[in-house]
Amino acid sequence: MNGRVILLNSGKTDAYRHLVKFVPATGIDVITERKYTALYPTNTNLHYVNDIADETEVLNVARKLDSSDSIAAVVSPSERSLPVGGYLRTYFNLPGTGFDVAWGFANKSVMKSKLRSAGVEVARALTISNIRQLVDAGDEIGWPVVVKPVIGSGSMNTYKIHNREEAASFLETPQADWFRNSRYQIIVEEYITMKGEYHCDAIIHNGQVVFFVLQRYFSPLLECTGAWGGSIMIGKGDERYDKISAIYPKVVKALGLKDGVTHMEAFWTGTKFIVGEISCRPAGGGIPKSILLKYGIDLWDAFTAASLNLEYNHKASELIPGIIANIDLPVQTGRLVDICTIDELSSIDGFVSADLSPVGTLFSEPLNSSSATGIVYVQLQSDAELEGTLQQLKERYHSAYES
Amino acid sequence: MNGRVILLNSGKTDAYRHLVKFVPATGIDVITERKYTALYPTNTNLHYVNDIADETEVLNVARKLDSSDSIAAVVSPSERSLPVGGYLRTYFNLPGTGFDVAWGFANKSVMKSKLRSAGVEVARALTISNIRQLVDAGDEIGWPVVVKPVIGSGSMNTYKIHNREEAASFLETPQADWFRNSRYQIIVEEYITMKGEYHCDAIIHNGQVVFFVLQRYFSPLLECTGAWGGSIMIGKGDERYDKISAIYPKVVKALGLKDGVTHMEAFWTGTKFIVGEISCRPAGGGIPKSILLKYGIDLWDAFTAASLNLEYNHKASELIPGIIANIDLPVQTGRLVDICTIDELSSIDGFVSADLSPVGTLFSEPLNSSSATGIVYVQLQSDAELEGTLQQLKERYHSAYES
């Protein structure tokens, strides 16, 4: 690669780990926040900003870097870095996703408006500028509603509000103050009554969905924090698989992504999918690894290659028969002082592998829907086996924290 | 129009004058700089920023406006406001030219790179981050070179540098300090030896060039400041007309404009055109009016309609036979204390109309390639008549300034 590569990242260790497979570490400049320092090897070229989502601040650093050796590519794998990553690509005329497309993925209000215009079913929603408009917005949408910032990821700062009274009380909470102090608009949307929440992770090449995997979250995201989260693959014969494969190309076309990796979340009503949101980066948690184990497809490699304007031509193959579930081991705040061994877990039916946090790991607030003490991957013949496997896992897994 | 319309503008009076034909003044919010106040009617909703090219500052104003009544469209007619105008459209998901496309038109380095990739011939150029790299860049490109900021308009901060020695002296001048203090990169490009500089103004609809007019500048832009500038139309039978009509669609496609008005400048070498630059706004000076007089096509209406996501369906018709020249009356700094009358000018051959600045007008530095005390429009049968007409005009025109 001629020129330097910028990695605009929070603390996603997968991002750097995969990037050095394509580009020597000396050719990589990481723009990040000081608190993530320890997550990078000591010889990494680190450049600090206070906020990786601050366009002006990041652009200033990038311009300085560019003036000594021009920037060839920008990799922006964390949700917060998507818009500024796109901005840098447009600004420096680099390959990959520019600002217009990145913004459509990052801003949920813009995203839903584009999807709606393209005939993709999404929840009814209103965008408000001040949290005090929540009551009126809820009245208009119909209660209950979900309220969240237009920019954000996972379940962070996302609340289900059941009625007018709850909305009024919510306005008195510190959570409402967060919205008051935030620079972002707020989206208030219809709460979808659903039979399950799904995620569908895909590789996009030349604007086409060339590979995707559909999985069901164990329980809707909003309720899983701190519990046994995870997701399980849906087999190709399932009607939901066909339904999502009809929707996905429309979503990608509506948002204009040419090359990259997407993580879409959708609600299944029992008869159809309603698209929740979609991002243009690999999913968090155990999702990428579950796909790697099953199909040999590395979403992080595909994402990194697309960011560098390189081809990712790996063909999917069935490495493990059946379906794979990735199971998040529950987490709590505090220092992990004891945890079971992989050996103890390996005796559960269908065990494939497990990644466990080492003793000493500190888990601090805010925990989110991707927080876990570890992830266990199991192979199943069908969805029906999940409950038994989870039961076995719960019996064998143990950990201890010190607050 | 449902919602408010933002006009992000310097002092282009045509912009506001045309916008109020489409939108009532009460629905328009002008974001501008304080020094342009007098150019707007007193009842205009004016909102001030220090710099209309400052994204953060403009976005803050726009967000406040949007929170009370949502923004429906953004009109950004001045060169300096193009990128931020595009940014606002992307940010608020509005119709029209978004940031990615606007940036390709605004940043000459990005523009030329896109044009080159699309097979459009442009001058060889290097982009440098520091003016001290001028000597090396000139050596690499070959002298003489033209140096200018990647963002700018007309001939402002644009210099022809003949050789190494002149480059070295240039670095000691206040003009070089301007580059040192500028936030923009610098483009150093080959000086094209040419038989003439042309401009070609077009209306783009659905990505297609649906109307265009080719005109030749009297003399290359860089040398005309303060002299008798202007331009003259090229007839449809001319080979240059065919040549430019083959290039224009490639340029528009390369830059990705869907709907709008473009002003392209190109050098004629005697056998082919080399594209200089292109903007996505109506031209300055007498160009739009010359086209209106000849064809009944109002580029400002077309531009405004495109910005508002409305159709401009006016069909061109030959209102005046032959070709039209628009002639800039020379300007100097100071207060205009006397000027000839339109009657005095109307006796020149082919006179069509004239717009003269009123006595009392103050012309201050920096004058640029669009500065004029007035503009005279004349009708000619051919290019050959221009010299005689200019001669008559010079005999009749008189003005006086007080410094």
Side-chain angles (χ1 to χ4, degrees):
Chain A
M1 181 131 309
N2 205 345
R4 62 173 87 226
V5 173
I6 300 283
L7 173 62
L8 179 64
N9 193 25
S10 54
K12 294 212 168 194
T13 51
D14 281 319
Y16 188 80
R17 199 163 56 76
H18 284 76
L19 185 52
V20 292
K21 296 202 281 177
F22 293 85
V23 180
T26 51
I28 300 171
D29 288 278
V30 178
I31 302 181
T32 188
E33 297 162 13
R34 206 165 282 276
K35 64 184 171 206
Y36 299 117
T37 302
L39 297 171
Y40 294 91
T42 47
N43 65 342
T44 310
N45 299 320
L46 294 177
H47 309 272
Y48 298 114
V49 288
N50 290 314
D51 180 1
I52 56 169
D54 184 321
E55 208 169 87
T56 309
E57 209 187 352
V58 173
L59 181 61
N60 279 340
V61 174
R63 282 168 47 93
K64 265 185 212 126
L65 292 171
D66 184 68
S67 71
S68 66
D69 181 19
S70 64
I71 299 171
V74 171
V75 184
S76 50
S78 63
E79 187 68 23
R80 282 199 301 137
S81 70
L82 291 183
V84 182
Y87 188 85
L88 293 183
R89 282 183 214 102
T90 297
Y91 189 94
F92 293 106
N93 194 31
L94 304 174
T97 305
F99 180 67
D100 288 0
V101 171
W103 188 246
F105 278 91
N107 183 305
K108 290 165 186 62
S109 172
V110 171
M111 175 195 299
K112 290 190 178 180
S113 172
K114 287 183 189 243
L115 293 181
R116 219 173 271 124
S117 301
V120 174
E121 198 164 353
V122 293
R124 286 177 305 112
L126 283 174
T127 305
I128 59 177
S129 297
N130 192 309
I131 192 67
R132 70 179 141 74
Q133 298 164 289
L134 171 62
V135 179
D136 288 346
D139 278 348
E140 189 167 336
I141 294 286
W143 305 95
V145 296
V146 174
V147 58
K148 57 188 171 185
V150 292
I151 305 267
S153 69
S155 58
M156 284 176 81
N157 304 302
T158 300
Y159 305 95
K160 181 179 175 184
I161 309 283
H162 291 83
N163 50 47
R164 284 192 124 243
E165 294 65 38
E166 197 177 315
S169 330
F170 179 78
L171 295 180
E172 308 300 321
T173 63
Q175 285 75 20
D177 281 336
W178 184 90
F179 286 99
R180 290 189 186 95
N181 297 328
S182 158
R183 75 175 101 170
Y184 300 121
Q185 289 180 299
I186 301 154
I187 189 162
V188 181
E189 64 183 29
E190 165 190 24
Y191 180 83
I192 304 285
T193 307
M194 57 180 142
K195 305 277 190 196
E197 186 173 6
Y198 292 71
H199 61 88
C200 192
D201 300 83
I203 298 176
I204 313 302
H205 186 55
N206 287 331
Q208 306 296 314
V209 179
V210 294
F211 172 81
F212 77 88
V213 178
L214 177 63
Q215 306 191 55
R216 181 177 62 77
Y217 285 113
F218 295 166
S219 62
L221 269 185
L222 284 176
E223 291 146 35
C224 74
T225 310
W228 291 73
S231 60
I232 180 168
M233 290 178 185
I234 304 302
K236 289 193 182 172
D238 196 285
E239 63 162 327
R240 293 163 295 181
Y241 188 91
D242 294 336
K243 291 260 165 91
I244 208 78
S245 72
I247 292 172
Y248 222 130
K250 281 160 74 176
V251 170
V252 170
K253 190 173 173 221
L255 297 177
L257 185 68
K258 289 284 168 281
D259 292 285
V261 164
T262 51
H263 170 65
M264 179 167 83
E265 293 176 340
F267 307 114
W268 176 248
T269 65
T271 54
K272 64 183 179 186
F273 277 112
I274 294 176
V275 172
E277 53 193 67
I278 181 166
S279 189
C280 54
R281 55 168 177 81
I287 296 168
K289 184 160 174 183
S290 70
I291 292 170
L292 179 62
L293 289 168
K294 166 81 184 166
Y295 293 110
I297 291 290
D298 189 328
L299 294 180
W300 275 102
D301 276 350
F303 168 79
T304 308
S307 302
L308 300 175
N309 204 24
L310 300 172
E311 297 274 334
Y312 176 76
N313 284 323
H314 207 83
K315 292 276 166 292
S317 53
E318 187 107 0
L319 301 182
I320 295 178
I323 55 182
I324 288 188
N326 67 93
I327 306 169
D328 299 335
L329 299 172
V331 67
Q332 63 183 70
T333 55
R335 186 176 300 278
L336 187 67
V337 292
D338 183 40
I339 188 164
C340 65
T341 64
I342 290 182
D343 268 2
E344 288 176 84
L345 300 179
S346 64
S347 62
I348 61 172
D349 293 343
F351 177 86
V352 176
S353 78
D355 298 315
L356 303 177
S357 295
V359 163
T361 305
L362 182 68
F363 294 93
S364 47
E365 293 287 359
L367 299 175
N368 63 47
S369 49
S370 286
S371 302
T373 307
I375 301 165
V376 178
Y377 302 88
V378 297
Q379 169 198 8
L380 307 167
Q381 289 318 305
S382 80
D383 205 309
E385 297 174 16
L386 179 63
E387 202 179 326
T389 301
L390 268 174
Q391 196 50 48
Q392 290 179 30
L393 185 57
K394 285 177 184 179
E395 283 161 16
R396 285 168 184 70
Y397 176 69
H398 57 88
S399 65
Y401 296 81
E402 197 176 75
S403 59
Chain B
M1 182 132 307
N2 206 345
R4 62 173 88 226
V5 173
I6 300 283
L7 173 62
L8 179 64
N9 193 25
S10 54
K12 294 213 168 194
T13 51
D14 281 320
Y16 188 79
R17 199 163 56 76
H18 284 77
L19 185 52
V20 291
K21 296 202 281 177
F22 292 85
V23 180
T26 51
I28 300 171
D29 287 278
V30 178
I31 302 180
T32 188
E33 297 163 13
R34 207 165 282 276
K35 64 184 171 204
Y36 299 117
T37 302
L39 297 170
Y40 294 92
T42 47
N43 65 342
T44 310
N45 299 320
L46 294 177
H47 309 273
Y48 298 114
V49 288
N50 290 314
D51 180 0
I52 56 169
D54 185 321
E55 208 168 88
T56 309
E57 209 187 351
V58 173
L59 181 60
N60 279 340
V61 174
R63 283 167 46 93
K64 266 186 210 125
L65 292 171
D66 183 68
S67 71
S68 66
D69 180 19
S70 64
I71 298 171
V74 171
V75 185
S76 51
S78 62
E79 186 69 23
R80 281 198 301 138
S81 70
L82 291 182
V84 182
Y87 187 85
L88 294 183
R89 282 183 214 101
T90 297
Y91 189 94
F92 293 106
N93 194 31
L94 303 174
T97 305
F99 181 67
D100 288 0
V101 171
W103 187 246
F105 278 91
N107 184 306
K108 289 164 186 63
S109 172
V110 172
M111 175 195 300
K112 290 190 178 180
S113 171
K114 286 183 189 243
L115 293 181
R116 220 174 271 124
S117 300
V120 174
E121 199 165 351
V122 293
R124 286 177 305 112
L126 283 174
T127 305
I128 59 177
S129 297
N130 192 310
I131 192 67
R132 71 180 141 74
Q133 298 164 288
L134 171 61
V135 179
D136 287 346
D139 278 348
E140 189 168 336
I141 293 286
W143 305 95
V145 296
V146 174
V147 58
K148 57 188 172 185
V150 292
I151 305 267
S153 68
S155 57
M156 284 176 81
N157 304 303
T158 301
Y159 305 95
K160 181 179 175 184
I161 308 282
H162 291 83
N163 50 47
R164 285 193 124 242
E165 294 65 38
E166 197 177 316
S169 330
F170 179 78
L171 295 180
E172 308 300 321
T173 63
Q175 285 75 20
D177 281 337
W178 184 91
F179 286 99
R180 290 189 186 95
N181 297 327
S182 158
R183 75 175 100 169
Y184 300 121
Q185 289 180 300
I186 301 155
I187 188 161
V188 181
E189 65 182 29
E190 164 189 24
Y191 180 83
I192 304 286
T193 307
M194 57 179 141
K195 305 277 190 197
E197 187 173 5
Y198 291 71
H199 60 88
C200 192
D201 300 83
I203 298 176
I204 313 303
H205 186 55
N206 286 331
Q208 306 296 314
V209 179
V210 294
F211 172 80
F212 77 88
V213 178
L214 177 63
Q215 305 191 54
R216 180 177 63 77
Y217 285 113
F218 294 166
S219 62
L221 269 185
L222 284 176
E223 291 146 35
C224 75
T225 311
W228 291 73
S231 61
I232 180 168
M233 290 178 184
I234 304 302
K236 289 193 182 172
D238 196 286
E239 64 161 326
R240 292 163 295 181
Y241 188 91
D242 294 336
K243 291 260 165 90
I244 208 78
S245 72
I247 293 172
Y248 223 131
K250 282 160 73 176
V251 170
V252 169
K253 189 172 174 222
L255 297 176
L257 185 68
K258 289 284 168 281
D259 291 285
V261 165
T262 50
H263 171 65
M264 179 167 84
E265 293 175 340
F267 307 114
W268 176 247
T269 66
T271 54
K272 64 182 178 185
F273 277 112
I274 294 175
V275 172
E277 52 194 67
I278 181 167
S279 189
C280 54
R281 54 166 177 83
I287 296 168
K289 185 159 173 184
S290 69
I291 292 170
L292 180 62
L293 289 168
K294 166 81 183 165
Y295 293 110
I297 291 290
D298 189 328
L299 294 180
W300 275 102
D301 276 351
F303 169 78
T304 308
S307 303
L308 300 175
N309 204 24
L310 301 172
E311 297 273 333
Y312 176 77
N313 284 323
H314 207 82
K315 291 276 167 292
S317 54
E318 188 107 358
L319 301 182
I320 294 178
I323 55 182
I324 288 188
N326 66 93
I327 306 168
D328 299 335
L329 299 173
V331 67
Q332 63 183 71
T333 54
R335 187 176 300 278
L336 187 66
V337 292
D338 184 40
I339 188 165
C340 65
T341 63
I342 290 183
D343 268 2
E344 288 176 84
L345 300 180
S346 65
S347 62
I348 62 172
D349 292 343
F351 177 87
V352 176
S353 78
D355 298 315
L356 303 178
S357 295
V359 163
T361 305
L362 182 69
F363 294 93
S364 47
E365 293 287 359
L367 298 176
N368 63 47
S369 49
S370 286
S371 302
T373 307
I375 300 164
V376 178
Y377 302 89
V378 296
Q379 169 199 7
L380 307 167
Q381 289 318 307
S382 81
D383 205 309
E385 296 173 16
L386 179 63
E387 202 179 326
T389 301
L390 268 174
Q391 195 49 48
Q392 290 178 30
L393 185 57
K394 285 177 185 179
E395 282 160 17
R396 284 167 184 71
Y397 175 68
H398 57 88
S399 65
Y401 295 81
E402 198 176 75
S403 59

